[in-house]
Amino acid sequence: MQNRLKTLHFELTDPFDNVQVVICCKRFLKDLGFGEAQQYLIASAVSELSTNIIRYAGKGTISIGTTYRNGTVGFVVAARDDGPGIPDLKKAMAENYSSGKGLGLGLPSVKRIMDEFEIHSTPGQGTRVTAIKWLE
């Protein structure tokens, strides 16, 4: 069974919004007990999701929070936009793929950093990503 507690929500419309998300994310992770190296790594994954929303959809939301499963605490991030969606999700999740606007490290790196990763995207309707990192 999984329960969610404390959650923070961020509206994204400007690149500066990403800075706020990263600052709050690091503080949140520290409070949960993640070590400094993991704080930076996980915050970079959250930053990637936030940057993608601003770059490709123009606006959207990031939510960060805590989740619990079988007595273990986890950090959860949910990214949502109503942008153009990803036409070929399999291609976008391939290592080194780039749509021409980035380095091709984005979504695959988020998946590698996090313990759980789920993505849904529909062309013309947007993209939803949920990822969890469990505290060890």
Side-chain angles (χ1 to χ4, degrees):
M1 181 171 178
Q2 189 168 312
N3 298 314
R4 284 197 186 160
L5 300 176
K6 185 179 177 185
T7 303
L8 300 175
H9 304 281
F10 302 89
E11 296 290 327
L12 305 171
T13 58
D14 183 89
F16 181 73
D17 296 332
N18 184 47
V19 174
Q20 297 302 323
V21 170
V22 170
I23 290 169
C24 290
C25 180
K26 285 182 189 173
R27 193 171 328 151
F28 197 96
L29 290 161
K30 182 179 181 179
D31 290 346
L32 279 178
F34 283 92
E36 192 170 346
Q38 282 208 310
Q39 291 170 36
Y40 281 95
L41 197 58
I42 297 165
S44 69
V46 173
S47 177
E48 180 63 37
L49 295 173
S50 176
T51 299
N52 284 352
I53 288 172
I54 295 164
R55 180 181 292 148
Y56 297 106
K59 64 180 181 175
T61 60
I62 290 277
S63 299
I64 61 173
T66 54
T67 188
Y68 293 89
R69 185 186 305 154
N70 301 325
T72 303
V73 65
F75 169 82
V76 63
V77 58
R80 176 185 175 173
D81 70 67
D82 295 321
I86 301 170
D88 188 340
L89 199 50
K90 186 175 181 177
K91 186 187 274 187
M93 291 303 299
E95 293 294 330
N96 301 317
Y97 170 77
S98 176
S99 65
K101 297 181 182 180
L103 299 175
L105 302 174
L107 292 173
S109 70
V110 173
K111 184 176 181 179
R112 273 192 312 277
I113 290 167
M114 305 301 279
D115 295 321
E116 297 180 27
F117 178 88
E118 187 175 314
I119 184 168
H120 300 281
S121 189
T122 304
Q125 296 181 19
T127 302
R128 312 285 183 267
V129 176
T130 303
I132 299 172
K133 185 68 173 180
W134 296 103
L135 184 60
E136 299 172 1

